[in-house]
Amino acid sequence: MHKRIRNFSIIAHIDHGKSTLADRLLQITGALSEREMREQFLDKMDLEREKGITIKLQPVRLKYSSKDGQEYILNLIDTPGHVDFSYEVSRSLAACEGALLVVDASQGIEAQTLANVYMAMELNLEIIGVVNKIDLPGAEPELVKQEMEDVLGIDRDEIILISAKTGAGVEDVLEALARQIPAPDNKEDDPLQALIFDSYFDSYKGAISYIRLVSGRLQKGDIIRIMSTNKEFEVMEIGVLSPYMTEVQSLSAGEVGYMAAGIKNVNDTRVGDTITGAQRPAQKALPGYQEVKPMVYCGLYPLENNDFEKLREALDRLKLNDASLFYEPESSDALGFGFRCGFLGLLHLEIIKERLEREYDLGLLATAPSVVYKVILTDSSEMYVQNPTRWPEPQKIEQVMEPYVKATIMVPHDYVGAIMELCQEKRGNYLTMEYLSPQRVMLTYKLPLSEILYDFFDALKSRTRGYASLDYEISGYETADLIKLDIMLNGEIVDALSFIAHKDKAYYRARAIVTKLRKIIPRQMYEVAIQAAIGNRVIARESVKAMRKDVLAKCYGGDITRKKKLLEKQKEGKKKMKQIGQVEVPKDAFMTVLDIDKD
Amino acid sequence: MSGQSLLNNASSERKKLMRNYSTGIYIHIPFCIRKCNYCDFFSVPLPAKEYLQRYTNALVAEISQRAHEGAGKKIESVYFGGGTPSLLSTEQLETIIRALDDNFRLPADMEISMEANPASLNARKIQDFTNARINRLSLGVQSFSNDDLRVLTRIHSAEDVRVLIDILHSQGLENFNIDLIYGIPGQSMDRWIKSLQTAADSSPMHISMYLLQLDPGTPMAMDIKKGRMAMLDEERELEMYTLGREYLQGRGFDHYEISNFSFPGRECKHNLIYWQAGEYIGIGCGAVSFMDKSRFINKPDLKAYLYAIENRQERPVEEIEKMSHKGLIADAIILGLRLCSGINMEKFRSRYGIDISREYSEVIKSCSQKGLLKIENGQISLTRKGYFLSNEVLCQFIA
Ligand SMILES: Nc1nc2c(ncn2[C@@H]2O[C@H](COP(=O)(O)OP(=O)(O)O)[C@@H](O)[C@H]2O)c(=O)[nH]1
Ligand code: SF4
Ligand SMILES: [Mg+2]
């Protein structure tokens, strides 16, 4: 049976057509009836569907009757297509024997894709090249094929041309999957080893783990052991996703499915962990995923103070299928009790925050994201600072270091100048430039992570009319001339607004942020003084004039209803504010620290 | 005293108090000669003179339909508002007042006010109206600058007003109000002072000064949006308010409500009923009533109103709010705090059964700290600073 199992991933840049191709695969293999079919079926979260971005598709098992007369089982285990989640790519790829590389015929290879393909090659995966969107008027399939051959060494004659939209060529993809991807090793008789490659929490069944069996068999009622914790559980249910959860009697080596074992504790079913049998345990765990470290931190505070516990529970739940999410309680003078949370990047941050708000019905306030700085103190001890409020006294600081990345940017050669200028502005150091084809160039730069976190990507896109793509990896810490900027409202430092800035840019940023705050803080009963300071030195100031008038208009008998509506609106408006001292600050003000570069 | 008699005592006490809160009658005349560009009151340009008679007949019918609502109430004021009630002919006015007297029994010396557009009055009409028992006029003057009046698209001039005021004095109708508007696009401080001065020199008993606030649907709001004219900035508006207040106080007027000034004892009784959360019977198309803990409105649809009354059907009423006890309290506070003397907390307690200072201690504390609210001699009121920011305070009292 395992001989006709094909486990594969799809590697594609965002928007190159992963969800659409998956829809076609579901359709052609008959996994869904016409009635059940809806677009972007495997996009798991409402959030993904709304934003039109796919971070990662839900796993699915397809049955395909090949032209050789055999029926194959195709398991799709997706890889995420956003740089924030690159680490996750390894965990999906490790569960597969092959990968579809999908490239948009009008765009060509993007920086991020390159890195993911290299990773697949390192893991010895069979790679099937696919050029999508050949129906587009601007499609240049031949050029893209050439690029794939030149850059990635994929034989251009084997690349499949398709349109996921019209379905053209998609049969050929299915055939290639069946024919070219190797079957998993037959280790059904060995002790059980199953890799947890994803999991989530179901309120009825407890933790649901998505697993890939590497060896052995698994049945309902088996006692399994989690290898990292040695805890044992009884298997309550196993099944496959086709695409709905379908219970099965057993799963064996090479197969992919889900398992529920009444696991309640988040830590007992970590992604990357190995499951084995309690009766006949395996000697060794499967190579685990390397632990990922969050790169960006911010404070998340409940707007309602008594939602703190609810927030903790929600974070616990999300952590279950997101090992990279980090959080610990913290408190702020301005905001009360909340959590310092670590994320892989800003998209990750945004998604987690939105999920907390939607799925757990929490009102949240996020402070500005910060990278992790390394500070060497005068007593030569070291500390890592991921919250500007923890910044040591300037006189105790010997040296400050900040994380740098090596960024790879791919761009049509007309835009090289624009990119260089941008990187310069962002304190980047030029490393290399390489022609991928006569038209396309790959640039590498060393850049401070803090500079590319927020708006770099947008700037890149807007200065290259959307043609540039970016990938990056952390390259290490480098010394930098950084200082802490405090923001004061009516003379009081608002700890949650403090941020770290490069000395050369401090003045400009201070100016920009006080101006921005002046615009977004509504007029209050008192004049509000907004100041930015380095230590005791105020370097920028603005003020919000006191609110002057309200209702000096007529108020007759009939008007009271209208008047009350007005008052209710005003009252609602107050709820969107956070009271800091005497000042009401809109809750999104805390993000503006970073927002200012955008204007 | 037995429990029963205690109860009786309490309820008769309550009745007595209820009686103390008088009831007003409001009559809406929804016609104007031409619609002003800033106006969002319910009024339409008078389609044809005959309409006034048809409308008068309808009012008379509604009055007799609603006679029972006055049972057991003490009617303390009648107010003709609009629109432009001064468009009514003497006969029409007499008919309406006679109907009111027949159905509600109007006490001899009660206040009967009428809003009047200076362009719609003359010596003759004033004489006749006075004979018909109108004893207070509220003049929609708005400004004594013809430039302002043009911006406001008023149909009268400053001269019309001067002439009219002379007539009022010569006929001994001293109890009149002058409405002024400030914050008019293009209005200078100087013009505003002149308007105030001329108003005070005209020796009215009462002056209202309202800030121009535009409903987004009005033509003037459109002009502003399109950049054809500009509102004054807030600082200037505040200056105008402060100046107006100080000037009028200097001229002997009492500041008794956020936007209203009068000589002692000459407050507008009808508006006091509103601000003291009293009951009122609203008659006519678009009129609002507050009776028996609910507030409702005669639908502002002239055709529907006339049709229903003429065909002896139920008049089209939209219920706005059936008030809970809490809602009544919130309204009473919102309205009561508009009065400069504020709310007497003891009276409030016996009327609504709650102690404001206890019930709203948090709000009172924070607003007092901010200098917006004060409690003195058992009265809770806005401070001078609080007038400007009244919404900020009031919104915290609503449920
Ligand atoms: N014309 C054309 N558009 C396509 C094709 N495949 C995908 N698209 C469109 O490209 C956009 C991104 O596709 P999607 O599948 O969501 O990409 P993903 O981000 O990789 O999941 C959507 O608007 C699709 O409709 C194709 O073959 N031809
Ligand atoms: S006269 Fe008064 S009611 Fe009539 S349109 Fe002008 S402002 Fe409105
Ligand atoms: Mg998608």
Side-chain angles (χ1 to χ4, degrees):
Chain A
M1 141 89 169
H2 79 276
K3 275 193 195 132
R4 289 192 297 277
I5 295 175
R6 302 290 180 262
N7 296 323
F8 71 102
S9 281
I10 304 178
I11 297 174
H13 190 76
I14 282 185
D15 274 353
H16 282 203
K18 185 153 75 180
S19 315
T20 313
L21 175 57
D23 286 350
R24 289 298 85 74
L25 296 178
L26 286 169
Q27 226 168 11
I28 295 174
T29 58
L32 288 173
S33 65
E34 283 302 324
R35 191 177 49 79
E36 291 168 310
M37 192 65 213
R38 67 197 144 100
E39 273 185 38
Q40 319 262 310
F41 188 88
L42 294 180
D43 284 17
K44 283 183 291 191
M45 296 182 278
D46 290 346
L47 213 67
E48 292 182 76
R49 208 163 284 131
E50 262 169 42
K51 295 198 171 188
I53 53 162
T54 307
I55 296 151
K56 198 178 61 179
L57 301 177
Q58 175 199 311
V60 66
R61 166 173 157 142
L62 306 167
K63 276 195 192 138
Y64 175 63
S65 304
S66 156
K67 287 178 184 150
D68 63 14
Q70 305 278 12
E71 187 172 87
Y72 290 85
I73 290 183
L74 311 177
N75 289 311
L76 164 61
I77 299 170
D78 194 24
T79 57
H82 188 276
V83 63
D84 275 12
F85 303 94
S86 340
Y87 85 99
E88 270 201 45
V89 173
S90 68
R91 71 190 210 191
S92 317
L93 293 178
C96 300
E97 281 80 34
L100 285 180
L101 163 63
V102 178
V103 182
D104 186 325
S106 64
Q107 304 284 318
I109 306 171
E110 311 279 10
Q112 169 92 60
T113 318
L114 198 69
N116 292 352
V117 176
Y118 287 151
M119 202 180 299
M121 287 174 167
E122 254 168 60
L123 289 164
N124 276 321
L125 264 55
E126 176 71 26
I127 293 167
I128 299 170
V130 174
V131 173
N132 185 30
K133 305 198 191 180
I134 53 166
D135 61 301
L136 280 181
E140 300 209 57
E142 291 310 315
L143 223 84
V144 172
K145 271 191 186 176
Q146 190 60 49
E147 202 175 84
M148 288 166 80
E149 180 168 287
D150 293 348
V151 180
L152 298 167
I154 295 172
D155 186 348
R156 54 172 298 158
D157 295 329
E158 288 185 5
I159 294 171
I160 307 169
L161 300 184
I162 69 161
S163 163
K165 189 170 169 187
T166 67
V170 179
E171 281 274 354
D172 298 340
V173 174
L174 284 160
E175 275 302 309
L177 285 169
R179 213 171 316 131
Q180 293 175 30
I181 294 183
D185 288 344
N186 182 6
K187 294 199 275 188
E188 196 174 327
D189 298 328
D190 293 357
L192 173 68
Q193 281 180 313
L195 182 70
I196 304 177
F197 65 85
D198 210 344
S199 57
Y200 70 94
F201 206 86
D202 179 284
S203 29
Y204 299 106
K205 298 177 181 167
I208 305 277
S209 314
Y210 290 150
I211 52 174
R212 151 78 202 260
L213 273 73
V214 173
S215 59
R217 291 168 59 84
L218 184 63
Q219 274 183 309
K220 185 171 169 175
D222 283 356
I223 306 294
I224 50 114
R225 179 184 296 167
I226 307 289
M227 291 195 78
S228 68
T229 59
N230 276 325
K231 286 198 187 157
E232 295 184 357
F233 299 92
E234 183 183 333
V235 177
M236 322 278 279
E237 184 180 326
I238 52 174
V240 294
L241 295 138
S242 55
Y244 302 109
M245 282 175 125
T246 313
E247 212 176 327
V248 297
Q249 283 312 305
S250 71
L251 289 170
S252 55
E255 287 196 280
V256 174
Y258 72 88
M259 176 193 82
I263 301 175
K264 293 276 182 289
N265 189 333
V266 188
N267 293 321
D268 290 333
T269 173
R270 286 236 172 121
V271 170
D273 222 330
T274 304
I275 294 171
T276 191
Q279 297 287 308
R280 190 161 71 104
Q283 293 297 311
K284 264 193 348 200
L286 296 163
Y289 304 124
Q290 86 197 68
E291 192 159 336
V292 280
K293 290 210 186 72
M295 306 222 260
V296 204
Y297 286 79
C298 81
L300 286 182
Y301 289 82
L303 284 177
E304 302 283 338
N305 286 336
N306 38 15
D307 275 350
F308 177 77
E309 277 307 321
K310 198 170 153 195
L311 176 56
R312 184 203 296 278
E313 266 165 45
L315 285 165
D316 284 348
R317 292 276 167 93
L318 290 183
K319 169 89 182 169
L320 188 61
N321 72 340
D322 190 346
S324 58
L325 175 64
F326 165 91
Y327 51 97
E328 67 183 17
E330 73 168 7
S331 67
S332 143
D333 294 340
L335 306 176
F337 292 101
F339 290 90
R340 176 111 306 228
C341 301
F343 305 94
L344 300 166
L346 288 178
L347 179 67
H348 188 210
L349 185 161
E350 195 184 324
I351 287 170
I352 295 289
K353 177 168 174 271
E354 270 196 58
R355 288 188 64 188
L356 289 167
E357 293 188 316
R358 275 187 204 201
E359 295 170 26
Y360 299 91
D361 194 27
L362 287 157
L364 294 178
L365 185 154
T367 65
S370 162
V371 300
V372 184
Y373 297 98
K374 183 166 157 182
V375 181
I376 297 163
L377 301 173
T378 43
D379 64 4
S380 52
S381 62
E382 262 180 34
M383 62 186 285
Y384 287 90
V385 181
Q386 19 103 328
N387 181 345
T389 57
R390 303 273 162 75
W391 198 254
E393 304 277 302
Q395 63 274 19
K396 290 193 185 144
I397 299 177
E398 180 67 44
Q399 193 188 11
V400 180
M401 304 178 91
E402 69 176 324
Y404 267 68
V405 299
K406 184 182 157 199
T408 306
I409 299 163
M410 290 188 183
V411 71
H413 71 282
D414 297 349
Y415 296 107
V416 168
I419 299 287
M420 290 186 153
E421 201 178 294
L422 175 64
C423 291
Q424 205 86 40
E425 286 167 26
K426 300 291 180 185
R427 300 192 278 133
N429 298 321
Y430 169 83
L431 298 177
T432 63
M433 179 163 96
E434 208 179 300
Y435 272 83
L436 301 174
S437 69
Q439 285 81 38
R440 294 236 300 165
V441 172
M442 184 168 87
L443 282 160
T444 54
Y445 260 88
K446 209 167 70 180
L447 286 151
L449 175 62
S450 65
E451 295 282 353
I452 65 165
L453 261 187
Y454 205 70
D455 63 336
F456 187 77
F457 195 65
D458 290 341
L460 197 68
K461 287 278 175 198
S462 71
R463 292 192 198 187
T464 62
R465 300 221 204 137
Y467 280 119
S469 68
L470 165 77
D471 188 34
Y472 58 82
E473 57 186 18
I474 293 286
S475 62
Y477 277 94
E478 313 244 345
T479 307
D481 212 350
L482 300 170
I483 45 102
K484 178 187 173 204
L485 260 170
D486 288 318
I487 303 294
M488 298 188 282
L489 293 180
N490 285 345
E492 301 271 347
I493 291 180
V494 180
D495 58 359
L497 282 173
S498 298
F499 64 100
I500 308 301
H502 191 264
K503 214 169 186 176
D504 294 346
K505 292 188 170 181
Y507 180 77
Y508 159 77
R509 297 197 56 137
R511 189 69 248 151
I513 190 171
V514 296
T515 311
K516 180 87 178 204
L517 285 171
R518 174 174 60 77
K519 285 187 199 146
I520 63 169
I521 293 178
R523 297 177 126 201
Q524 328 242 326
M525 274 165 279
Y526 294 102
E527 173 159 323
V528 179
I530 305 167
Q531 294 168 308
I534 303 171
N536 295 326
R537 192 162 50 93
V538 172
I539 60 170
R541 68 184 90 224
E542 277 286 349
S543 69
V544 179
K545 283 193 187 148
M547 176 164 56
R548 290 310 192 192
K549 63 111 209 281
D550 274 339
V551 263
L552 305 168
K554 262 187 195 185
C555 180
Y556 280 162
D559 295 336
I560 173 106
T561 306
R562 214 193 318 178
K563 163 102 185 168
K564 270 197 299 192
K565 288 216 179 91
L566 210 95
L567 293 175
E568 261 149 32
K569 231 165 108 192
Q570 187 156 343
K571 196 175 178 182
E572 275 308 301
K574 278 175 113 60
K575 284 194 191 149
K576 298 206 181 86
M577 302 284 163
K578 187 88 193 175
Q579 183 91 26
I580 293 180
Q582 292 272 24
V583 185
E584 283 175 354
V585 181
K587 63 177 182 148
D588 43 8
F590 298 88
M591 282 293 229
T592 55
V593 181
L594 284 184
D595 222 7
I596 49 177
D597 287 346
K598 270 193 181 164
D599 313 324
Chain B
M1 219 187 266
S2 75
Q4 187 57 46
S5 63
L6 252 176
L7 251 169
N8 282 341
N9 224 36
S11 79
S12 69
E13 187 68 17
R14 187 160 312 143
K15 272 191 196 131
K16 213 160 64 199
L17 276 161
M18 287 307 284
R19 266 203 305 275
N20 280 341
Y21 292 92
S22 42
T23 303
I25 294 178
Y26 176 82
I27 310 279
H28 193 71
I29 309 292
F31 302 110
C32 291
I33 294 187
R34 195 180 71 202
K35 193 84 185 150
C36 305
N37 63 356
Y38 63 94
C39 170
D40 63 345
F41 294 116
F42 171 59
S43 78
V44 295
L46 184 60
K49 265 235 155 105
E50 301 81 74
Y51 264 79
L52 278 172
Q53 191 53 49
R54 252 183 97 182
Y55 190 75
T56 303
N57 298 343
L59 284 178
V60 169
E62 187 186 348
I63 289 168
S64 74
Q65 268 177 32
R66 298 183 64 185
H68 64 279
E69 290 179 32
K73 315 267 173 189
K74 185 175 170 223
I75 307 296
E76 288 239 313
S77 105
V78 171
Y79 191 98
F80 288 86
T84 309
S86 48
L87 288 177
L88 290 171
S89 71
T90 308
E91 294 69 36
Q92 287 159 346
L93 182 68
E94 281 170 349
T95 315
I96 297 166
I97 291 183
R98 202 175 315 118
L100 286 172
D101 200 18
D102 290 347
N103 290 281
F104 295 101
R105 268 182 293 130
L106 307 181
D109 54 349
M110 75 179 309
E111 181 184 282
I112 304 184
S113 300
M114 177 187 269
E115 287 176 354
N117 187 313
S120 64
L121 284 179
N122 55 41
R124 183 65 211 267
K125 219 165 170 180
I126 290 167
Q127 183 75 62
D128 292 347
F129 280 9
T130 322
N131 291 337
R133 293 185 63 179
I134 296 293
N135 51 23
R136 184 175 184 277
L137 280 180
S138 176
L139 305 178
V141 173
Q142 320 311 3
S143 170
F144 283 95
S145 144
N146 283 332
D147 289 333
D148 286 344
L149 292 173
R150 256 191 301 280
V151 173
L152 295 173
T153 64
R154 298 291 301 185
I155 57 169
H156 63 83
S157 68
E159 292 67 38
D160 294 339
V161 179
R162 289 215 175 83
V163 171
L164 181 64
I165 285 168
D166 285 344
I167 299 172
L168 291 181
H169 285 298
S170 68
Q171 298 196 1
L173 182 47
E174 307 283 349
N175 194 14
F176 65 92
N177 163 59
I178 290 177
D179 265 356
L180 294 177
I181 291 181
Y182 62 97
I184 303 165
Q187 188 180 30
S188 62
M189 214 56 183
D190 199 43
R191 265 193 224 162
W192 173 230
I193 296 170
K194 281 195 184 124
S195 276
L196 285 165
Q197 212 162 13
T198 319
D201 289 346
S202 309
S203 307
M205 288 297 160
H206 193 286
I207 294 178
S208 304
M209 48 174 232
Y210 296 116
L211 173 65
L212 181 68
Q213 279 184 326
L214 296 175
D215 185 273
T218 57
M220 194 187 230
M222 293 304 204
D223 284 345
I224 302 243
K225 209 171 141 194
K226 297 235 168 86
R228 289 195 280 259
M229 52 175 83
M231 295 296 275
L232 303 187
D233 68 33
E234 276 193 9
E235 305 300 320
R236 177 54 51 85
E237 291 172 352
L238 170 64
E239 268 177 68
M240 289 183 164
Y241 177 81
T242 314
L243 177 88
R245 181 175 181 277
E246 280 164 7
Y247 180 80
L248 293 178
Q249 284 180 325
R251 295 286 301 255
F253 290 89
D254 262 357
H255 183 200
Y256 77 99
E257 191 262 359
I258 290 184
S259 310
N260 286 282
F261 300 80
S262 79
F263 282 124
R266 297 303 191 133
E267 298 85 7
C268 174
K269 292 223 173 61
H270 190 79
N271 284 341
L272 280 178
I273 293 176
Y274 293 146
W275 297 321
Q276 289 168 349
E279 294 188 312
Y280 43 94
I281 302 171
I283 290 168
C285 185
V288 176
S289 302
F290 176 54
M291 298 293 293
D292 220 9
K293 298 183 185 167
S294 53
R295 185 171 292 115
F296 52 88
I297 178 169
N298 286 352
K299 222 172 182 180
D301 177 340
L302 191 58
K303 266 203 196 122
Y305 176 79
L306 289 173
Y307 181 87
I309 303 265
E310 286 164 2
N311 293 284
R312 296 174 191 285
Q313 293 174 356
E314 293 244 322
R315 85 204 127 91
V317 166
E318 273 173 1
E319 182 167 292
I320 311 182
E321 276 181 297
K322 180 112 199 133
M323 312 279 296
S324 64
H325 189 62
K326 263 190 124 156
L328 290 173
I329 289 172
D331 279 19
I333 295 175
I334 291 169
L335 290 164
L337 285 178
R338 292 186 70 92
L339 291 169
C340 300
S341 59
I343 297 168
N344 182 296
M345 293 197 291
E346 184 47 35
K347 279 195 191 143
F348 199 92
R349 196 188 54 73
S350 49
R351 187 169 170 198
Y352 294 103
I354 67 146
D355 182 346
I356 296 186
S357 64
R358 185 131 13 108
E359 202 79 9
Y360 295 96
S361 57
E362 285 296 308
V363 178
I364 293 174
K365 197 172 135 203
S366 86
C367 291
S368 317
Q369 270 169 6
K370 291 172 185 158
L372 301 174
L373 205 59
K374 63 172 194 275
I375 294 186
E376 262 171 31
N377 310 323
Q379 297 278 131
I380 177 167
S381 59
L382 292 174
T383 60
R384 190 138 46 101
K385 181 173 171 192
Y387 298 148
F388 309 137
L389 305 170
S390 57
N391 277 359
E392 193 59 29
V393 179
L394 299 181
C395 78
Q396 302 188 52
F397 282 99
I398 59 175

